[in-house]
Amino acid sequence: MPAAIDKDENIQKEGKRIELVKDSPKQFAASGAAAVSAPTNSDKRADVSPLHAERTGVQAQEVSVSSFNEEEVIHDLQHYLPSQAPLKDFIHHNTLHAFQNYPFHEGTRRAKKIFGYFPSLQLREYRDLYEAGRIRKDILERVISEQKGAQYLEDWMQRLLEKEYDDSVSPRIGKLRANWKRHYPIDLDLMVHPLLFRILCSYLDQGISIWGFPIGHKGFLAAMKEMEEKSFASFFKTKRAKKLLVSGNCKMEDLLKLLVGDETLYAQYLFDQQFAHPGWSGMVASVEAQPASLLNPKNITVHDLVVFELLLEIDALDSYFGESWQPIARILEERPEPLFDDVPETEVDTVFSLWHDAFEWTYYDQVLTGIALQDKTWERKIENRSFQTYFCIDDRLTSFRRYLEQLDPDCETFTTAGFFNVELYYQPENGKFYTKCCPAPVFPKFLVKEIGNKQKIKKEVHFSKLTHSLFQGWFISQTIGFVSALRLALNVFKPGAMPAMASSYSHVDKNARLTIENKDPNDKENGLQIGFTIDEMVQRVQGVLTSTGLNGVDKTFAPIVYMIGHGASSVNNPHYTAYDCGACGGRPGSVNARTFCYMANHPKVREALKERGVVIPPTTQFLPGLHDTTRDEVAFFDEEILSEENAGKHRRNTLVINEALDLHAKERSRRLVSIDTKMSPKEIHEEIRRRSVSLFEPRPELNHATNAVSIIGRRSITENLFLDRRASTSTYDYRTDPEGKFLTMSMGPIALVMGGIDLEYFFSRTDNHKMGAGTKLPHNVMGLIGVANGADGDLRTGLPSQMIEIHDPVRLLVIIEHYPDVALKVIKSQTANYSFYENYWVHCVVVHPDTGELWLYKDGSFSKIYKPLLNDLETVSDLSALMERAKKAESIETLDAVQENLPVYFIEKKERVKK
């Protein structure tokens, strides 16, 4: 029996409470439910719709129409529930997106009070960081003086450093529904959730289950109704709930009358109910909004989930008390505070916001000092370029660029969003589905198909449906099962690649062709144009080349231009798509790189580009590649297109690239406790590869941990700065774009993609229990759509602790090199992303190209010049030695983890000689 308390015993022990239930049962049964009027002295209703007209001014009074708006409440639930997509489309986003219409500190304060999230570090952690020098005194004093006034500096310093505060969280959510447990000897969640979660998992299953859901082609509620009608067994223990479902008399409002009884509390009850399991509810909301996110489509809505859960709750109460229990409104001792009432700022809130601003600006100040002190006229001069590379803006690639430039001073590196301005759906040969390869909000009109795939899919013998049959399953377990167990044991000592791993290189066969060119506009499939026309190709190639300043006139082309996307290989990691390219929709960037290179190599495209001022020499060839960020390997595609001369140069360039990857692996290794960073780069690289295929390695790479800055500008403003792989960079040359036309393209993914990455890491770090996924160790994959603790737990949202334990929770600092008025025009033109800047969910600074002044975005404009407090930065000459002596975190405590991050350094300029 699901009830945690034995029925008979508790009727004796809880006599007084049961008397309340048994009071006038006949009257209650006859009426079905008695609506309880709001107390006469109450002047507020449950304000759960800040998206719609404000209701806070409405006085409690008798009304002739229902105050419960079902459609509006469902809309609000969808807005506030986590918006995490199924695992195959796991893409980083702002965890608190529902509060992004508020300024950052106000939004996080509301999230904390309403839902119980903890959106900052603990008070003791800030004080520990201050004592350790990781929050600077001069920065803290500046923050206090600017926000509270210099005259109150001493008073606020005393409060921040010495005063004791209660920083515990007492959220509003759950207060109403908690009355079931408080007044009745039952745990309604324990009685309902295990069954509900199993039903949802079975219905939404994408391939784990051998037997599909019996009526999976119908809508969720319709399927449950049909199963109840035609099955001998039932999900319900009593007759009433089943009868309500089968008869169709299960309108949400009628069910709420039974359970709640007071329509002014209906909305709050539904929020309490759905936020008791935000993972499953959020998944349903996500699938409802994006049905294509499931390869095996399911028709499920938040409405259906709510109705079915209400029926299960009625059934659970009926099974315990019969049909004579009272609705929750009748047992309230005190009316709960409306969820979305104002959340006034308290002194402790102010203390947290001051501490956090000081924590962030302690780091920002170092970065901005480095940019401010550089010679703005310096730019590396290259006479004969050996090769050029385009990478994604991803923060994991900044050190790879640096080592390429160090090893070959004649090479030149650029960065742009990793989908390379080519938005498309991709269909592998023999694939049944389309894969979106572009940023999540973009919905392409183009389809690229793979033709001639010669890859053979490797399979494990014991991964077979036959293992689930009675006799064959027993036979396989007694034979192949022993071999499988032996291989598993060997993997501990000698990890190796296996068919079940997610490999970035398997996304597309390097020998297959892609349908990139469209010669007939009528060549379409399911409304998508197959390939791109010449004009469409020209537009996309020009956008990337012009925005990065590579037009063949102001800056010449090298013989080979590499377009290198990125992806990640993963073993035993359900969140593997989070490690791939976010700009490619959580997919490797290989298809986009190949598509762009085909376009840029097309003779007709080059002719049209020449007319637009982009001159590509006939000897220049674009070559696609893919960087596996877990293994630190680069594979190239379509190498057969190279001329004989360029093929020779490519072989020489490959040696440089491979050496740079060795050095890059060494720099990464300083954060990996199991690797001795003092080993040679080649030895470390081999160990990195070994880790990438280990079943028992929870941290094959640390992904975007520690990301904090995004810089849009010329390479020269960051080339001589050591930023410890904490900065994403987007190459942009303001000189070729005075009006900011191409800056709009460069800025497109910054707030949404990089800001989303930063904020998901931020909140998963500050509250890994509620806004993160907790440790990976107890995770079970549920229906291939999410992970849960155990078999009956709620789906876990956010990032697991192994991904965020060394992360500094700071907002993204966006730095743009352009004139302030142009930058302002561009960020305001991006309506969908402007709230990131307007409400300070990211910070933004513009570097004035002429004066070098740092203009800080504040109150809707770049009206304030930021002056760094540091006068200089330390200069480092030997990065390898710096990596070897860098401290590794001894624990995942905040102070240890933060101290692992290195400060910003100047890199000593040396006379670099090409090897």
Side-chain angles (χ1 to χ4, degrees):
M1 183 173 179
I5 306 173
D6 180 79
K7 187 190 303 184
D8 296 331
E9 288 183 5
N10 279 285
I11 287 180
Q12 298 297 321
K13 294 178 181 178
E14 303 287 341
K16 293 184 178 180
R17 294 183 182 179
I18 300 304
E19 285 303 316
L20 177 62
V21 177
K22 295 190 173 182
D23 182 38
S24 60
K26 293 181 180 179
Q27 294 178 11
F28 181 75
S31 64
V36 179
S37 300
T40 55
N41 62 347
S42 173
D43 63 350
K44 291 184 180 180
R45 286 170 41 200
D47 175 18
V48 294
S49 185
L51 307 179
H52 303 89
E54 291 291 334
R55 306 185 216 158
T56 53
V58 179
Q59 300 294 320
Q61 55 184 318
E62 291 188 3
V63 290
S64 58
V65 295
S66 172
S67 62
F68 175 67
N69 186 323
E70 179 182 310
E71 183 178 343
E72 191 173 296
V73 172
I74 293 295
H75 181 277
D76 290 345
L77 276 170
Q78 292 169 329
H79 177 69
Y80 283 101
L81 284 167
S83 61
Q84 186 164 298
L87 288 174
K88 78 174 186 67
D89 292 325
F90 187 98
I91 301 173
H92 297 295
H93 65 287
N94 179 10
T95 311
L96 297 183
H97 64 277
F99 295 90
Q100 203 170 298
N101 56 318
Y102 296 99
F104 178 78
H105 288 303
E106 181 182 350
T108 55
R109 184 174 74 246
R110 291 178 67 85
K112 182 177 182 179
K113 181 61 178 175
I114 295 169
F115 295 114
Y117 302 139
F118 206 95
S120 66
L121 296 175
Q122 302 284 340
L123 183 58
R124 65 169 180 81
E125 292 178 309
Y126 287 121
R127 289 174 173 172
D128 289 345
L129 291 168
Y130 180 82
E131 290 296 322
R134 304 299 292 199
I135 296 178
R136 285 173 23 211
K137 183 180 179 182
D138 56 344
I139 293 291
L140 182 58
E141 290 176 342
R142 172 187 270 188
V143 168
I144 293 173
S145 297
E146 289 180 350
Q147 296 187 24
K148 294 298 174 184
Q151 67 272 30
Y152 301 112
L153 174 60
E154 186 176 341
D155 175 46
W156 277 101
M157 284 291 287
Q158 187 274 329
R159 298 189 203 187
L160 266 65
L161 294 173
E162 300 176 11
K163 189 172 179 179
E164 294 297 324
Y165 293 97
D166 178 10
D167 59 357
S168 60
V169 181
S170 179
R172 295 171 180 169
I173 196 74
K175 291 287 181 68
L176 173 60
R177 215 163 150 271
N179 284 280
W180 289 125
K181 187 184 294 187
R182 185 176 299 116
H183 291 273
Y184 293 160
I186 59 171
D187 186 333
L188 203 55
D189 287 348
L190 189 60
M191 298 172 74
V192 170
H193 288 179
L195 175 61
L196 176 65
F197 295 168
R198 291 189 178 206
I199 293 172
L200 287 172
C201 189
S202 298
Y203 181 80
L204 294 172
D205 179 73
Q206 297 294 293
I208 285 183
S209 176
I210 297 301
W211 291 349
F213 198 79
I215 314 172
H217 62 283
K218 288 192 174 183
F220 177 68
L221 204 57
M224 300 307 299
K225 177 182 177 182
E226 185 169 336
M227 290 177 68
E228 286 294 321
E229 287 176 333
K230 298 181 178 180
S231 300
F232 290 109
S234 174
F235 291 111
F236 301 107
K237 304 180 189 67
T238 63
K239 294 180 180 180
R240 179 163 62 162
K242 178 174 181 175
K243 183 177 179 181
L244 287 170
L245 176 61
V246 172
S247 66
N249 296 324
C250 53
K251 290 177 60 178
M252 187 185 299
E253 192 165 359
D254 292 339
L255 301 179
L256 286 167
K257 283 181 182 179
L258 288 169
L259 280 163
V260 183
D262 180 352
E263 64 183 23
T264 64
L265 294 174
Y266 289 177
Q268 187 152 346
Y269 186 86
L270 292 182
F271 265 84
D272 281 6
Q273 181 196 69
Q274 295 306 303
F275 274 86
H277 46 75
W280 279 112
S281 299
M283 182 61 67
V284 170
S286 177
V287 170
E288 180 182 358
Q290 300 286 344
S293 63
L294 295 183
L295 297 180
N296 181 16
K298 298 292 182 178
N299 182 10
I300 189 169
T301 65
V302 174
H303 170 274
D304 286 1
L305 170 61
V306 169
V307 168
F308 188 69
E309 187 168 2
L310 290 173
L311 288 169
L312 289 177
E313 290 184 349
I314 291 171
D315 182 61
L317 290 165
D318 282 357
S319 70
Y320 206 92
F321 302 113
E323 296 184 11
S324 55
W325 44 269
Q326 298 280 28
I328 201 169
R330 287 195 173 184
I331 61 176
L332 290 181
E333 295 177 0
E334 183 179 355
R335 190 178 181 86
E337 186 178 9
L339 277 180
F340 295 97
D341 265 8
D342 287 339
V343 180
E345 183 177 8
T346 63
E347 183 178 322
V348 69
D349 294 325
T350 304
V351 166
F352 273 107
S353 64
L354 291 172
W355 269 124
H356 195 79
D357 286 347
F359 177 52
E360 292 180 329
W361 282 100
T362 296
Y363 176 68
Y364 298 159
D365 193 70
Q366 296 179 53
V367 177
L368 295 174
T369 297
I371 290 176
L373 294 179
Q374 289 193 96
D375 180 2
K376 302 300 181 296
T377 62
W378 181 88
E379 195 166 2
R380 186 157 56 97
K381 304 298 181 184
I382 306 174
E383 294 182 3
N384 297 307
R385 291 169 170 81
S386 54
F387 64 90
Q388 291 161 324
T389 63
Y390 274 86
F391 296 106
C392 182
I393 61 178
D394 194 290
D395 48 280
R396 292 171 289 178
L397 305 177
T398 52
S399 51
F400 185 19
R401 296 180 67 190
R402 182 182 352 106
Y403 288 118
L404 283 174
E405 295 162 349
Q406 173 185 311
L407 294 170
D408 186 350
D410 290 335
C411 82
E412 192 171 24
T413 66
F414 302 88
T415 51
T416 189
F419 75 113
F420 300 122
N421 204 26
V422 180
E423 75 286 13
L424 57 87
Y425 284 104
Y426 166 63
Q427 185 181 30
E429 190 166 39
N430 302 319
K432 296 180 180 180
F433 308 101
Y434 301 156
T435 298
K436 187 165 75 170
C437 298
C438 58
V442 179
F443 292 92
K445 300 177 181 179
F446 309 99
L447 173 64
V448 171
K449 307 181 76 171
E450 181 186 45
I451 299 175
N453 187 328
K454 298 179 182 179
Q455 285 182 333
K456 291 185 178 180
I457 301 177
K458 297 180 180 179
K459 297 181 179 179
E460 294 277 12
V461 179
H462 59 279
F463 287 162
S464 167
K465 290 185 178 181
L466 296 176
T467 61
H468 293 264
S469 61
L470 179 60
F471 298 107
Q472 291 171 313
W474 177 86
F475 178 76
I476 290 173
S477 65
Q478 299 301 313
T479 53
I480 300 173
F482 288 108
V483 178
S484 175
L486 179 61
R487 290 183 60 188
L488 186 65
L490 289 174
N491 190 271
V492 177
F493 306 101
K494 192 176 181 181
M498 57 190 68
M501 71 181 290
S503 172
S504 62
Y505 299 125
S506 64
H507 187 54
V508 60
D509 181 8
K510 65 181 300 183
N511 298 311
R513 293 186 300 108
L514 300 177
T515 59
I516 298 169
E517 184 173 359
N518 178 279
K519 297 181 180 179
D520 181 3
N522 295 318
D523 188 7
K524 294 184 177 182
E525 183 175 300
N526 295 325
L528 299 174
Q529 177 181 297
I530 298 179
F532 299 79
T533 64
I534 296 299
D535 288 341
E536 290 162 347
M537 292 182 188
V538 171
Q539 178 186 351
R540 283 152 181 78
V541 175
Q542 182 190 12
V544 170
L545 298 181
T546 305
S547 67
T548 54
L550 183 56
N551 56 19
V553 179
D554 303 294
K555 186 172 289 186
T556 58
F557 286 87
I560 303 177
V561 181
Y562 296 102
M563 306 297 296
I564 300 180
H566 71 95
S569 294
S570 191
V571 179
N572 197 20
N573 182 11
H575 297 90
Y576 69 94
T577 61
Y579 292 76
D580 283 333
C581 181
C584 296
R587 304 289 184 271
S590 46
V591 174
N592 300 75
R594 291 187 70 181
T595 302
F596 183 93
C597 288
Y598 178 93
M599 295 176 172
N601 287 327
H602 200 296
K604 291 183 179 179
V605 172
R606 292 193 177 191
E607 290 175 12
L609 285 173
K610 188 173 182 179
E611 295 175 1
R612 301 187 184 192
V614 179
V615 182
I616 304 176
T619 55
T620 293
Q621 293 179 289
F622 287 74
L623 190 70
L626 182 71
H627 176 206
D628 189 310
T629 56
T630 310
R631 296 176 59 82
D632 264 330
E633 295 175 337
V634 172
F636 297 98
F637 302 87
D638 306 324
E639 294 170 286
E640 67 279 359
I641 69 167
L642 294 175
S643 65
E644 185 177 348
E645 182 180 359
N646 280 347
K649 292 178 179 178
H650 173 55
R651 287 191 290 271
R652 291 192 292 273
N653 297 341
T654 302
L655 297 176
V656 176
I657 291 171
N658 288 338
E659 187 176 352
L661 288 168
D662 289 341
L663 294 170
H664 184 246
K666 182 180 178 73
E667 183 165 328
R668 283 179 56 201
S669 72
R670 78 172 188 86
R671 295 187 183 274
L672 305 175
V673 178
S674 65
I675 297 180
D676 181 4
T677 309
K678 295 182 180 180
M679 294 191 299
S680 71
K682 286 190 180 296
E683 290 174 322
I684 290 175
H685 197 174
E686 187 56 39
E687 183 64 16
I688 290 285
R689 293 190 187 99
R690 189 194 68 81
R691 285 170 56 94
S692 72
V693 293
S694 173
L695 271 172
F696 306 96
E697 179 50 67
R699 305 172 186 83
E701 68 162 298
L702 296 173
N703 205 8
H704 300 288
T706 75
N707 77 92
V709 183
S710 189
I711 303 171
I712 302 91
R714 293 171 299 155
R715 175 60 173 149
S716 58
I717 69 173
T718 59
E719 188 169 353
N720 295 310
L721 285 179
F722 175 78
L723 297 170
D724 199 18
R725 303 177 80 243
R726 301 188 67 183
S728 63
T729 55
S730 182
T731 304
Y732 171 77
D733 196 332
Y734 71 93
R735 297 170 299 189
T736 62
D737 186 33
E739 296 181 0
K741 175 183 176 183
F742 294 104
L743 179 61
T744 303
M745 186 188 83
S746 297
M747 291 293 296
I750 299 301
L752 192 65
V753 178
M754 301 312 300
I757 289 171
D758 174 88
L759 290 168
E760 183 156 42
Y761 271 82
F762 184 116
F763 296 121
S764 291
R765 173 65 182 83
T766 60
D767 190 347
N768 199 238
H769 175 65
K770 287 191 174 181
M771 291 191 283
T775 177
K776 289 180 178 180
L777 300 182
H779 284 179
N780 280 334
V781 177
M782 311 297 284
L784 296 180
I785 58 173
V787 297
N789 291 350
D792 295 324
D794 189 21
L795 292 184
R796 300 305 304 264
T797 59
L799 305 177
S801 60
Q802 287 81 0
M803 290 176 69
I804 52 83
E805 54 202 6
I806 64 167
H807 184 70
D808 281 2
V810 299
R811 283 168 282 176
L812 188 72
L813 173 64
V814 179
I815 302 173
I816 308 169
E817 186 187 24
H818 214 309
Y819 297 98
D821 58 327
V822 176
L824 184 64
K825 179 185 70 174
V826 168
I827 65 172
K828 283 191 171 182
S829 69
Q830 299 177 329
T831 309
N833 296 339
Y834 183 52
S835 62
F836 279 94
Y837 304 98
E838 181 183 28
N839 292 324
Y840 311 110
W841 291 80
V842 301
H843 292 291
C844 192
V845 170
V846 165
V847 181
H848 196 292
D850 297 335
T851 64
E853 294 171 329
L854 304 171
W855 290 83
L856 177 65
Y857 179 86
K858 192 83 171 175
D859 299 327
S861 66
F862 292 101
S863 56
K864 177 182 178 181
I865 297 178
Y866 180 83
K867 295 183 178 179
L869 295 180
L870 288 176
N871 297 318
D872 200 4
L873 296 176
E874 187 179 341
T875 299
V876 62
S877 59
D878 187 344
L879 288 177
S880 180
L882 177 65
M883 296 304 111
E884 291 179 5
R885 67 172 182 265
K887 180 181 178 181
K888 293 189 178 185
E890 297 177 0
S891 72
I892 60 173
E893 289 294 320
T894 299
L895 186 58
D896 278 342
V898 168
Q899 287 181 335
E900 187 176 87
N901 292 326
L902 295 173
V904 178
Y905 292 105
F906 282 127
I907 300 174
E908 183 179 0
K909 297 179 185 178
K910 295 182 179 180
E911 192 67 33
R912 292 183 284 185
V913 180
K914 184 176 179 179
K915 292 185 179 182

